[in-house]
Amino acid sequence: MKNFLATRSGIVIVGLIIGVLAPLLQYMGNPGNMGICVACFERDIAGAIGMHRAGVVQYMRPEIIGFVLGSLVAAFAARDFRPRAGSAPIVRFVLGVFAMIGALVFLGCPWRALLRLAGGDLNAIFGIIGLIAGVWIGTYFFRTGYTLGRANKAPATVGLLMPVIMVGALALLLLFPQISGKPTSGVLFYSLKGPGAMHAPLFIALGVGLVVGIIAQRSRFCTMGAFRDVILFRQTHLLCGVLALLVAATVMNLVLGQFHTGFEGQPVAHTQGLWNFMGMVLAGLCFALAGGCPGRQLFLSGEGDGDAAVFVLGMVVGAAFAHNFGLASSPKGIGPHGMAAVVIGLVTCLAIGFTMRKKA
Amino acid sequence: MNTVDARGLSCPQPVLDTLTAIAGQPSGSIEILVDTQASRENVCRAAQSKGWSVESDTEENNEYRIVITKG
């Protein structure tokens, strides 16, 4: 059976669909230039369950739940569910932690970097250049024998646990809905102001998440692989999807009146160019070494990849560190320990890259 | 026949190993083993981009055996 979405036309269509849906989510309540941000949304989930207590970023984001469950559905439908695990999970966890820290220094994952650019936020250019630089460093390690080793086939439980966790997260969201004017509902925390208080209606967000999860699983959409494959193989397949997303989102923002060009006063963004760049160098290197952007890691964890699931959990824990230790940026600029965290992260990633190489 | 066993390896290694094998062998046949549909698609796409053709592509036990050739 031919997988149409994995063809060039297919991945372009997937990019266009995501590029249309993300600004619509923003139009329906998600924060500015944050129709979809895997890093920000996982950080909001960490806040919703109290792993950090940054009051402005607490919400159990349904999009993330939809990404994983949509991927699960697509994988089962296409006989593509392959429970597997055992490829250096602790390394993937640490890469997830630092990927999140880097992304929160910039204020966005690669998905949001594209959506920020599509909304006219020129600070995103530094982030995207940083992403490409981080991925480029990663390709050096791949060229010189870097590997996290083989995953092994595993019982279905291994592949189903992350989707089950997401079902649990959805159950909490439905059991403990937001109470107007209250910062908590049952066990969940909610934001009363800030980005965490801005969200599209639950079922719309969940629906978009499911749709994106389904089409991204089939097309292997990856915002890191797009740049990696050009640098490593001169292949533009995934890049076509990313460019389609950028074009569609820009057009949508123009149509919806959400396009504002400039550096200053952009939503959930700061203007420290060097650290927008450096944060994404770190994040890009982490995504490259882990084999997928944060969205791709969610889709992989939906199709049975237990190692990708560990990376996702690393990102959630990294979000807690980022806000508990003052590493995350805010619209005012980088956090008090953001620089130190980026340096420690880069040293750690370089050590992983150099030491995880097969002896030739 | 030269065999590339890329089973269990994350992206981009199956493609990287396939292209390495191609670089070391100007013509003939190469067998590649992978265990996900994504790797199968990526390997076939990469091989074809280098002018190789996919001679056979068989599935057994959720694993794929791809044979690529160049005359």
PDB file of all heavy atoms in Angstrom, chain A residues 3 6 78-80 82 92 142 147 150-151 153 218 220 228 233 235 237, chain B residues 5 7-8 10-11 13 15-16 19 35 37 41 45-46 59 62-64:
ATOM      1  N   ASN A   3       1.950   4.910   0.705  1.00  0.00           N
ATOM      2  CA  ASN A   3       1.629   5.913   1.724  1.00  0.00           C
ATOM      3  C   ASN A   3       1.699   7.299   1.078  1.00  0.00           C
ATOM      4  O   ASN A   3       2.761   7.904   0.993  1.00  0.00           O
ATOM      5  CB  ASN A   3       2.626   5.774   2.878  1.00  0.00           C
ATOM      6  CG  ASN A   3       2.389   6.802   3.969  1.00  0.00           C
ATOM      7  OD1 ASN A   3       1.433   7.570   3.926  1.00  0.00           O
ATOM      8  ND2 ASN A   3       3.252   6.802   4.953  1.00  0.00           N
ATOM      9  N   ALA A   6       3.509  10.302   2.590  1.00  0.00           N
ATOM     10  CA  ALA A   6       4.972  10.278   2.649  1.00  0.00           C
ATOM     11  C   ALA A   6       5.607  10.700   1.319  1.00  0.00           C
ATOM     12  O   ALA A   6       6.821  10.745   1.205  1.00  0.00           O
ATOM     13  CB  ALA A   6       5.464   8.891   3.052  1.00  0.00           C
ATOM     14  N   ALA A  78      -2.655   1.957   9.944  1.00  0.00           N
ATOM     15  CA  ALA A  78      -1.729   1.649   8.849  1.00  0.00           C
ATOM     16  C   ALA A  78      -0.823   0.463   9.179  1.00  0.00           C
ATOM     17  O   ALA A  78       0.159   0.240   8.480  1.00  0.00           O
ATOM     18  CB  ALA A  78      -0.884   2.877   8.529  1.00  0.00           C
ATOM     19  N   ARG A  79      -1.147  -0.273  10.219  1.00  0.00           N
ATOM     20  CA  ARG A  79      -0.304  -1.386  10.687  1.00  0.00           C
ATOM     21  C   ARG A  79       1.135  -0.899  10.885  1.00  0.00           C
ATOM     22  O   ARG A  79       2.087  -1.557  10.495  1.00  0.00           O
ATOM     23  CB  ARG A  79      -0.350  -2.562   9.702  1.00  0.00           C
ATOM     24  CG  ARG A  79      -1.723  -3.228   9.607  1.00  0.00           C
ATOM     25  CD  ARG A  79      -1.763  -4.397   8.632  1.00  0.00           C
ATOM     26  NE  ARG A  79      -0.642  -5.307   8.820  1.00  0.00           N
ATOM     27  CZ  ARG A  79       0.384  -5.418   7.949  1.00  0.00           C
ATOM     28  NH1 ARG A  79       0.424  -4.673   6.862  1.00  0.00           N
ATOM     29  NH2 ARG A  79       1.344  -6.277   8.181  1.00  0.00           N
ATOM     30  N   ASP A  80       1.267   0.224  11.506  1.00  0.00           N
ATOM     31  CA  ASP A  80       2.564   0.864  11.668  1.00  0.00           C
ATOM     32  C   ASP A  80       2.903   1.017  13.156  1.00  0.00           C
ATOM     33  O   ASP A  80       3.819   1.739  13.524  1.00  0.00           O
ATOM     34  CB  ASP A  80       2.516   2.242  10.974  1.00  0.00           C
ATOM     35  CG  ASP A  80       3.901   2.812  10.720  1.00  0.00           C
ATOM     36  OD1 ASP A  80       4.876   2.040  10.787  1.00  0.00           O
ATOM     37  OD2 ASP A  80       3.998   4.017  10.447  1.00  0.00           O
ATOM     38  N   ARG A  82       4.647  -0.097  16.228  1.00  0.00           N
ATOM     39  CA  ARG A  82       5.783  -0.985  16.494  1.00  0.00           C
ATOM     40  C   ARG A  82       6.329  -0.711  17.888  1.00  0.00           C
ATOM     41  O   ARG A  82       7.176   0.177  18.067  1.00  0.00           O
ATOM     42  CB  ARG A  82       6.910  -0.751  15.477  1.00  0.00           C
ATOM     43  CG  ARG A  82       6.528  -0.969  14.053  1.00  0.00           C
ATOM     44  CD  ARG A  82       6.338  -2.458  13.739  1.00  0.00           C
ATOM     45  NE  ARG A  82       5.411  -2.617  12.609  1.00  0.00           N
ATOM     46  CZ  ARG A  82       5.788  -2.569  11.336  1.00  0.00           C
ATOM     47  NH1 ARG A  82       7.029  -2.384  11.021  1.00  0.00           N
ATOM     48  NH2 ARG A  82       4.895  -2.723  10.382  1.00  0.00           N
ATOM     49  N   ARG A  92      18.532   9.942  26.091  1.00  0.00           N
ATOM     50  CA  ARG A  92      17.388  10.621  25.471  1.00  0.00           C
ATOM     51  C   ARG A  92      16.660  11.506  26.485  1.00  0.00           C
ATOM     52  O   ARG A  92      16.185  12.600  26.147  1.00  0.00           O
ATOM     53  CB  ARG A  92      16.433   9.594  24.865  1.00  0.00           C
ATOM     54  CG  ARG A  92      17.049   8.887  23.663  1.00  0.00           C
ATOM     55  CD  ARG A  92      16.164   7.778  23.140  1.00  0.00           C
ATOM     56  NE  ARG A  92      16.825   7.001  22.102  1.00  0.00           N
ATOM     57  CZ  ARG A  92      16.808   7.296  20.810  1.00  0.00           C
ATOM     58  NH1 ARG A  92      16.158   8.375  20.378  1.00  0.00           N
ATOM     59  NH2 ARG A  92      17.421   6.533  19.934  1.00  0.00           N
ATOM     60  N   PHE A 142      26.884  12.702  13.599  1.00  0.00           N
ATOM     61  CA  PHE A 142      26.384  11.571  12.806  1.00  0.00           C
ATOM     62  C   PHE A 142      27.405  11.130  11.764  1.00  0.00           C
ATOM     63  O   PHE A 142      27.604   9.939  11.536  1.00  0.00           O
ATOM     64  CB  PHE A 142      25.056  11.922  12.133  1.00  0.00           C
ATOM     65  CG  PHE A 142      23.883  11.768  13.060  1.00  0.00           C
ATOM     66  CD1 PHE A 142      23.201  12.872  13.549  1.00  0.00           C
ATOM     67  CD2 PHE A 142      23.460  10.500  13.461  1.00  0.00           C
ATOM     68  CE1 PHE A 142      22.129  12.727  14.416  1.00  0.00           C
ATOM     69  CE2 PHE A 142      22.383  10.346  14.326  1.00  0.00           C
ATOM     70  CZ  PHE A 142      21.719  11.461  14.811  1.00  0.00           C
ATOM     71  N   THR A 147      25.939   7.260  17.547  1.00  0.00           N
ATOM     72  CA  THR A 147      24.717   6.453  17.540  1.00  0.00           C
ATOM     73  C   THR A 147      24.235   6.245  18.976  1.00  0.00           C
ATOM     74  O   THR A 147      25.052   6.147  19.900  1.00  0.00           O
ATOM     75  CB  THR A 147      24.938   5.081  16.869  1.00  0.00           C
ATOM     76  OG1 THR A 147      23.719   4.337  16.950  1.00  0.00           O
ATOM     77  CG2 THR A 147      26.063   4.289  17.541  1.00  0.00           C
ATOM     78  N   ARG A 150      20.795   0.407  19.093  1.00  0.00           N
ATOM     79  CA  ARG A 150      19.544  -0.152  18.581  1.00  0.00           C
ATOM     80  C   ARG A 150      18.474  -0.236  19.656  1.00  0.00           C
ATOM     81  O   ARG A 150      18.763  -0.571  20.806  1.00  0.00           O
ATOM     82  CB  ARG A 150      19.782  -1.570  18.047  1.00  0.00           C
ATOM     83  CG  ARG A 150      20.608  -1.617  16.790  1.00  0.00           C
ATOM     84  CD  ARG A 150      20.779  -3.047  16.308  1.00  0.00           C
ATOM     85  NE  ARG A 150      21.944  -3.154  15.434  1.00  0.00           N
ATOM     86  CZ  ARG A 150      21.912  -2.923  14.118  1.00  0.00           C
ATOM     87  NH1 ARG A 150      20.787  -2.590  13.533  1.00  0.00           N
ATOM     88  NH2 ARG A 150      22.999  -3.034  13.391  1.00  0.00           N
ATOM     89  N   ALA A 151      17.241   0.035  19.230  1.00  0.00           N
ATOM     90  CA  ALA A 151      16.083  -0.293  20.066  1.00  0.00           C
ATOM     91  C   ALA A 151      15.719  -1.743  19.783  1.00  0.00           C
ATOM     92  O   ALA A 151      16.035  -2.285  18.726  1.00  0.00           O
ATOM     93  CB  ALA A 151      14.915   0.621  19.719  1.00  0.00           C
ATOM     94  N   LYS A 153      12.594  -4.812  19.838  1.00  0.00           N
ATOM     95  CA  LYS A 153      11.151  -5.033  19.853  1.00  0.00           C
ATOM     96  C   LYS A 153      10.732  -5.254  21.299  1.00  0.00           C
ATOM     97  O   LYS A 153      11.465  -5.845  22.089  1.00  0.00           O
ATOM     98  CB  LYS A 153      10.804  -6.279  19.038  1.00  0.00           C
ATOM     99  CG  LYS A 153      10.978  -6.106  17.548  1.00  0.00           C
ATOM    100  CD  LYS A 153      10.340  -7.288  16.826  1.00  0.00           C
ATOM    101  CE  LYS A 153      10.399  -7.089  15.330  1.00  0.00           C
ATOM    102  NZ  LYS A 153      11.786  -7.059  14.828  1.00  0.00           N
ATOM    103  N   ARG A 218       1.711   9.808   9.580  1.00  0.00           N
ATOM    104  CA  ARG A 218       1.801   9.179   8.261  1.00  0.00           C
ATOM    105  C   ARG A 218       2.868   9.824   7.382  1.00  0.00           C
ATOM    106  O   ARG A 218       3.496   9.160   6.573  1.00  0.00           O
ATOM    107  CB  ARG A 218       0.442   9.235   7.509  1.00  0.00           C
ATOM    108  CG  ARG A 218      -0.710   8.495   8.141  1.00  0.00           C
ATOM    109  CD  ARG A 218      -0.357   7.093   8.615  1.00  0.00           C
ATOM    110  NE  ARG A 218       0.095   6.208   7.550  1.00  0.00           N
ATOM    111  CZ  ARG A 218       1.065   5.302   7.694  1.00  0.00           C
ATOM    112  NH1 ARG A 218       1.693   5.161   8.837  1.00  0.00           N
ATOM    113  NH2 ARG A 218       1.404   4.533   6.691  1.00  0.00           N
ATOM    114  N   ARG A 220       5.569  11.568   8.500  1.00  0.00           N
ATOM    115  CA  ARG A 220       6.885  11.662   9.195  1.00  0.00           C
ATOM    116  C   ARG A 220       7.351  13.114   9.278  1.00  0.00           C
ATOM    117  O   ARG A 220       8.557  13.402   9.232  1.00  0.00           O
ATOM    118  CB  ARG A 220       7.975  10.829   8.502  1.00  0.00           C
ATOM    119  CG  ARG A 220       7.508   9.612   7.728  1.00  0.00           C
ATOM    120  CD  ARG A 220       6.868   8.572   8.590  1.00  0.00           C
ATOM    121  NE  ARG A 220       6.446   7.403   7.836  1.00  0.00           N
ATOM    122  CZ  ARG A 220       5.634   6.484   8.322  1.00  0.00           C
ATOM    123  NH1 ARG A 220       5.123   6.618   9.535  1.00  0.00           N
ATOM    124  NH2 ARG A 220       5.298   5.429   7.615  1.00  0.00           N
ATOM    125  N   ARG A 228      18.187  18.926   8.932  1.00  0.00           N
ATOM    126  CA  ARG A 228      19.208  17.876   9.022  1.00  0.00           C
ATOM    127  C   ARG A 228      19.412  17.190   7.671  1.00  0.00           C
ATOM    128  O   ARG A 228      20.543  16.983   7.235  1.00  0.00           O
ATOM    129  CB  ARG A 228      18.780  16.838  10.070  1.00  0.00           C
ATOM    130  CG  ARG A 228      19.761  15.671  10.187  1.00  0.00           C
ATOM    131  CD  ARG A 228      19.089  14.464  10.814  1.00  0.00           C
ATOM    132  NE  ARG A 228      17.986  13.989   9.998  1.00  0.00           N
ATOM    133  CZ  ARG A 228      16.938  13.315  10.474  1.00  0.00           C
ATOM    134  NH1 ARG A 228      16.841  13.055  11.763  1.00  0.00           N
ATOM    135  NH2 ARG A 228      15.976  12.908   9.668  1.00  0.00           N
ATOM    136  N   PHE A 233      22.264  15.023   3.784  1.00  0.00           N
ATOM    137  CA  PHE A 233      22.042  14.237   2.553  1.00  0.00           C
ATOM    138  C   PHE A 233      21.721  15.082   1.321  1.00  0.00           C
ATOM    139  O   PHE A 233      21.491  14.533   0.249  1.00  0.00           O
ATOM    140  CB  PHE A 233      20.853  13.269   2.741  1.00  0.00           C
ATOM    141  CG  PHE A 233      20.910  12.420   3.957  1.00  0.00           C
ATOM    142  CD1 PHE A 233      19.811  12.303   4.804  1.00  0.00           C
ATOM    143  CD2 PHE A 233      22.056  11.705   4.262  1.00  0.00           C
ATOM    144  CE1 PHE A 233      19.859  11.494   5.933  1.00  0.00           C
ATOM    145  CE2 PHE A 233      22.107  10.890   5.388  1.00  0.00           C
ATOM    146  CZ  PHE A 233      21.005  10.787   6.221  1.00  0.00           C
ATOM    147  N   GLN A 235      18.914  16.372   0.874  1.00  0.00           N
ATOM    148  CA  GLN A 235      17.544  15.974   0.547  1.00  0.00           C
ATOM    149  C   GLN A 235      16.556  17.009   1.080  1.00  0.00           C
ATOM    150  O   GLN A 235      16.625  17.398   2.246  1.00  0.00           O
ATOM    151  CB  GLN A 235      17.216  14.603   1.159  1.00  0.00           C
ATOM    152  CG  GLN A 235      17.914  13.465   0.451  1.00  0.00           C
ATOM    153  CD  GLN A 235      17.388  12.109   0.884  1.00  0.00           C
ATOM    154  OE1 GLN A 235      16.504  12.010   1.731  1.00  0.00           O
ATOM    155  NE2 GLN A 235      17.941  11.062   0.304  1.00  0.00           N
ATOM    156  N   HIS A 237      13.112  16.733   0.988  1.00  0.00           N
ATOM    157  CA  HIS A 237      11.767  16.190   1.168  1.00  0.00           C
ATOM    158  C   HIS A 237      11.050  16.812   2.382  1.00  0.00           C
ATOM    159  O   HIS A 237       9.981  17.420   2.246  1.00  0.00           O
ATOM    160  CB  HIS A 237      11.849  14.664   1.310  1.00  0.00           C
ATOM    161  CG  HIS A 237      10.547  14.017   1.623  1.00  0.00           C
ATOM    162  ND1 HIS A 237       9.592  13.783   0.659  1.00  0.00           N
ATOM    163  CD2 HIS A 237      10.022  13.573   2.796  1.00  0.00           C
ATOM    164  CE1 HIS A 237       8.541  13.206   1.232  1.00  0.00           C
ATOM    165  NE2 HIS A 237       8.786  13.071   2.520  1.00  0.00           N
TER     166      HIS A 237
ATOM    167  N   ASP B   5      22.348  -3.696   8.088  1.00  0.00           N
ATOM    168  CA  ASP B   5      21.332  -4.029   9.095  1.00  0.00           C
ATOM    169  C   ASP B   5      21.031  -2.776   9.918  1.00  0.00           C
ATOM    170  O   ASP B   5      21.772  -2.413  10.817  1.00  0.00           O
ATOM    171  CB  ASP B   5      21.832  -5.149  10.004  1.00  0.00           C
ATOM    172  CG  ASP B   5      20.775  -5.562  11.028  1.00  0.00           C
ATOM    173  OD1 ASP B   5      19.682  -4.943  11.037  1.00  0.00           O
ATOM    174  OD2 ASP B   5      21.028  -6.492  11.815  1.00  0.00           O
ATOM    175  N   ARG B   7      18.106  -2.322  11.538  1.00  0.00           N
ATOM    176  CA  ARG B   7      16.953  -2.591  12.404  1.00  0.00           C
ATOM    177  C   ARG B   7      17.180  -1.973  13.786  1.00  0.00           C
ATOM    178  O   ARG B   7      18.254  -2.111  14.364  1.00  0.00           O
ATOM    179  CB  ARG B   7      16.739  -4.104  12.540  1.00  0.00           C
ATOM    180  CG  ARG B   7      16.209  -4.734  11.260  1.00  0.00           C
ATOM    181  CD  ARG B   7      16.157  -6.240  11.361  1.00  0.00           C
ATOM    182  NE  ARG B   7      17.493  -6.811  11.519  1.00  0.00           N
ATOM    183  CZ  ARG B   7      17.726  -8.117  11.686  1.00  0.00           C
ATOM    184  NH1 ARG B   7      16.727  -8.969  11.710  1.00  0.00           N
ATOM    185  NH2 ARG B   7      18.961  -8.560  11.832  1.00  0.00           N
ATOM    186  N   GLY B   8      16.147  -1.288  14.281  1.00  0.00           N
ATOM    187  CA  GLY B   8      16.215  -0.706  15.617  1.00  0.00           C
ATOM    188  C   GLY B   8      16.945   0.622  15.698  1.00  0.00           C
ATOM    189  O   GLY B   8      17.056   1.195  16.772  1.00  0.00           O
ATOM    190  N   SER B  10      17.549   4.662  15.077  1.00  0.00           N
ATOM    191  CA  SER B  10      16.733   5.870  14.916  1.00  0.00           C
ATOM    192  C   SER B  10      17.126   6.591  13.641  1.00  0.00           C
ATOM    193  O   SER B  10      18.231   6.450  13.133  1.00  0.00           O
ATOM    194  CB  SER B  10      16.962   6.865  16.061  1.00  0.00           C
ATOM    195  OG  SER B  10      16.928   6.251  17.297  1.00  0.00           O
ATOM    196  N   CYS B  11      16.226   7.412  13.188  1.00  0.00           N
ATOM    197  CA  CYS B  11      16.443   8.373  12.133  1.00  0.00           C
ATOM    198  C   CYS B  11      17.649   9.240  12.515  1.00  0.00           C
ATOM    199  O   CYS B  11      17.729   9.632  13.675  1.00  0.00           O
ATOM    200  CB  CYS B  11      15.189   9.234  12.080  1.00  0.00           C
ATOM    201  SG  CYS B  11      14.920  10.053  10.570  1.00  0.00           S
ATOM    202  N   GLN B  13      19.916   7.272  10.906  1.00  0.00           N
ATOM    203  CA  GLN B  13      20.957   6.263  10.680  1.00  0.00           C
ATOM    204  C   GLN B  13      20.680   5.266   9.565  1.00  0.00           C
ATOM    205  O   GLN B  13      21.601   4.937   8.817  1.00  0.00           O
ATOM    206  CB  GLN B  13      21.258   5.528  11.977  1.00  0.00           C
ATOM    207  CG  GLN B  13      22.237   6.296  12.839  1.00  0.00           C
ATOM    208  CD  GLN B  13      22.568   5.531  14.086  1.00  0.00           C
ATOM    209  OE1 GLN B  13      21.858   5.628  15.072  1.00  0.00           O
ATOM    210  NE2 GLN B  13      23.600   4.729  14.010  1.00  0.00           N
ATOM    211  N   VAL B  15      19.244   5.695   6.745  1.00  0.00           N
ATOM    212  CA  VAL B  15      19.585   6.366   5.483  1.00  0.00           C
ATOM    213  C   VAL B  15      21.098   6.589   5.388  1.00  0.00           C
ATOM    214  O   VAL B  15      21.717   6.336   4.354  1.00  0.00           O
ATOM    215  CB  VAL B  15      18.828   7.709   5.353  1.00  0.00           C
ATOM    216  CG1 VAL B  15      19.357   8.519   4.179  1.00  0.00           C
ATOM    217  CG2 VAL B  15      17.340   7.452   5.194  1.00  0.00           C
ATOM    218  N   LEU B  16      21.681   7.018   6.493  1.00  0.00           N
ATOM    219  CA  LEU B  16      23.123   7.283   6.523  1.00  0.00           C
ATOM    220  C   LEU B  16      23.902   6.011   6.192  1.00  0.00           C
ATOM    221  O   LEU B  16      24.823   6.031   5.364  1.00  0.00           O
ATOM    222  CB  LEU B  16      23.497   7.786   7.927  1.00  0.00           C
ATOM    223  CG  LEU B  16      24.820   8.510   8.117  1.00  0.00           C
ATOM    224  CD1 LEU B  16      24.916   9.721   7.219  1.00  0.00           C
ATOM    225  CD2 LEU B  16      24.947   8.947   9.577  1.00  0.00           C
ATOM    226  N   LEU B  19      23.468   5.111   2.477  1.00  0.00           N
ATOM    227  CA  LEU B  19      24.250   5.977   1.587  1.00  0.00           C
ATOM    228  C   LEU B  19      25.741   5.674   1.713  1.00  0.00           C
ATOM    229  O   LEU B  19      26.488   5.784   0.736  1.00  0.00           O
ATOM    230  CB  LEU B  19      23.966   7.456   1.882  1.00  0.00           C
ATOM    231  CG  LEU B  19      22.549   7.931   1.541  1.00  0.00           C
ATOM    232  CD1 LEU B  19      22.367   9.405   1.869  1.00  0.00           C
ATOM    233  CD2 LEU B  19      22.211   7.691   0.070  1.00  0.00           C
ATOM    234  N   ASP B  35      13.100  -1.938  10.369  1.00  0.00           N
ATOM    235  CA  ASP B  35      11.926  -2.469  11.059  1.00  0.00           C
ATOM    236  C   ASP B  35      10.819  -1.438  11.311  1.00  0.00           C
ATOM    237  O   ASP B  35       9.948  -1.655  12.137  1.00  0.00           O
ATOM    238  CB  ASP B  35      12.325  -3.165  12.366  1.00  0.00           C
ATOM    239  CG  ASP B  35      13.097  -2.253  13.291  1.00  0.00           C
ATOM    240  OD1 ASP B  35      13.267  -1.072  12.933  1.00  0.00           O
ATOM    241  OD2 ASP B  35      13.529  -2.706  14.361  1.00  0.00           O
ATOM    242  N   GLN B  37       8.143   1.393   9.035  1.00  0.00           N
ATOM    243  CA  GLN B  37       7.721   1.868   7.711  1.00  0.00           C
ATOM    244  C   GLN B  37       8.439   3.162   7.347  1.00  0.00           C
ATOM    245  O   GLN B  37       8.784   3.386   6.181  1.00  0.00           O
ATOM    246  CB  GLN B  37       6.204   2.093   7.685  1.00  0.00           C
ATOM    247  CG  GLN B  37       5.387   0.816   7.667  1.00  0.00           C
ATOM    248  CD  GLN B  37       3.894   1.090   7.613  1.00  0.00           C
ATOM    249  OE1 GLN B  37       3.472   2.187   7.238  1.00  0.00           O
ATOM    250  NE2 GLN B  37       3.086   0.118   7.994  1.00  0.00           N
ATOM    251  N   GLU B  41      10.543   3.798   3.945  1.00  0.00           N
ATOM    252  CA  GLU B  41      10.286   4.882   2.980  1.00  0.00           C
ATOM    253  C   GLU B  41      11.545   5.729   2.773  1.00  0.00           C
ATOM    254  O   GLU B  41      11.896   6.060   1.628  1.00  0.00           O
ATOM    255  CB  GLU B  41       9.153   5.794   3.489  1.00  0.00           C
ATOM    256  CG  GLU B  41       7.788   5.106   3.503  1.00  0.00           C
ATOM    257  CD  GLU B  41       6.815   5.773   4.490  1.00  0.00           C
ATOM    258  OE1 GLU B  41       7.160   6.839   5.041  1.00  0.00           O
ATOM    259  OE2 GLU B  41       5.722   5.214   4.697  1.00  0.00           O
ATOM    260  N   ARG B  45      13.648   6.129  -0.700  1.00  0.00           N
ATOM    261  CA  ARG B  45      13.734   7.470  -1.282  1.00  0.00           C
ATOM    262  C   ARG B  45      15.200   7.868  -1.484  1.00  0.00           C
ATOM    263  O   ARG B  45      15.568   8.391  -2.543  1.00  0.00           O
ATOM    264  CB  ARG B  45      13.027   8.483  -0.379  1.00  0.00           C
ATOM    265  CG  ARG B  45      12.769   9.814  -1.044  1.00  0.00           C
ATOM    266  CD  ARG B  45      12.136  10.833  -0.107  1.00  0.00           C
ATOM    267  NE  ARG B  45      10.903  10.345   0.487  1.00  0.00           N
ATOM    268  CZ  ARG B  45      10.708  10.193   1.796  1.00  0.00           C
ATOM    269  NH1 ARG B  45      11.675  10.487   2.647  1.00  0.00           N
ATOM    270  NH2 ARG B  45       9.561   9.757   2.269  1.00  0.00           N
ATOM    271  N   ALA B  46      16.031   7.595  -0.470  1.00  0.00           N
ATOM    272  CA  ALA B  46      17.445   7.981  -0.557  1.00  0.00           C
ATOM    273  C   ALA B  46      18.155   7.201  -1.654  1.00  0.00           C
ATOM    274  O   ALA B  46      18.938   7.771  -2.425  1.00  0.00           O
ATOM    275  CB  ALA B  46      18.125   7.753   0.792  1.00  0.00           C
ATOM    276  N   GLU B  59       8.111  -7.778   3.292  1.00  0.00           N
ATOM    277  CA  GLU B  59       7.841  -7.651   4.727  1.00  0.00           C
ATOM    278  C   GLU B  59       7.701  -9.031   5.340  1.00  0.00           C
ATOM    279  O   GLU B  59       7.074  -9.914   4.786  1.00  0.00           O
ATOM    280  CB  GLU B  59       6.546  -6.868   4.948  1.00  0.00           C
ATOM    281  CG  GLU B  59       6.233  -6.670   6.424  1.00  0.00           C
ATOM    282  CD  GLU B  59       4.906  -5.950   6.672  1.00  0.00           C
ATOM    283  OE1 GLU B  59       4.277  -5.500   5.696  1.00  0.00           O
ATOM    284  OE2 GLU B  59       4.515  -5.885   7.840  1.00  0.00           O
ATOM    285  N   ASN B  62       6.906  -7.952  10.631  1.00  0.00           N
ATOM    286  CA  ASN B  62       7.061  -6.517  10.895  1.00  0.00           C
ATOM    287  C   ASN B  62       8.474  -6.005  10.634  1.00  0.00           C
ATOM    288  O   ASN B  62       8.907  -5.018  11.225  1.00  0.00           O
ATOM    289  CB  ASN B  62       6.664  -6.175  12.332  1.00  0.00           C
ATOM    290  CG  ASN B  62       5.148  -6.076  12.475  1.00  0.00           C
ATOM    291  OD1 ASN B  62       4.450  -6.024  11.472  1.00  0.00           O
ATOM    292  ND2 ASN B  62       4.663  -6.038  13.702  1.00  0.00           N
ATOM    293  N   GLU B  63       9.211  -6.724   9.795  1.00  0.00           N
ATOM    294  CA  GLU B  63      10.523  -6.226   9.378  1.00  0.00           C
ATOM    295  C   GLU B  63      10.541  -6.166   7.853  1.00  0.00           C
ATOM    296  O   GLU B  63       9.805  -6.897   7.187  1.00  0.00           O
ATOM    297  CB  GLU B  63      11.643  -7.139   9.882  1.00  0.00           C
ATOM    298  CG  GLU B  63      11.807  -7.077  11.387  1.00  0.00           C
ATOM    299  CD  GLU B  63      13.009  -7.866  11.882  1.00  0.00           C
ATOM    300  OE1 GLU B  63      13.665  -8.533  11.059  1.00  0.00           O
ATOM    301  OE2 GLU B  63      13.283  -7.805  13.087  1.00  0.00           O
ATOM    302  N   TYR B  64      11.382  -5.300   7.334  1.00  0.00           N
ATOM    303  CA  TYR B  64      11.418  -5.116   5.879  1.00  0.00           C
ATOM    304  C   TYR B  64      12.807  -5.449   5.355  1.00  0.00           C
ATOM    305  O   TYR B  64      13.818  -5.059   5.953  1.00  0.00           O
ATOM    306  CB  TYR B  64      11.060  -3.674   5.513  1.00  0.00           C
ATOM    307  CG  TYR B  64       9.712  -3.254   6.048  1.00  0.00           C
ATOM    308  CD1 TYR B  64       9.610  -2.536   7.229  1.00  0.00           C
ATOM    309  CD2 TYR B  64       8.536  -3.636   5.392  1.00  0.00           C
ATOM    310  CE1 TYR B  64       8.367  -2.183   7.743  1.00  0.00           C
ATOM    311  CE2 TYR B  64       7.298  -3.285   5.900  1.00  0.00           C
ATOM    312  CZ  TYR B  64       7.224  -2.561   7.077  1.00  0.00           C
ATOM    313  OH  TYR B  64       5.997  -2.229   7.577  1.00  0.00           O
TER     314      TYR B  64
END
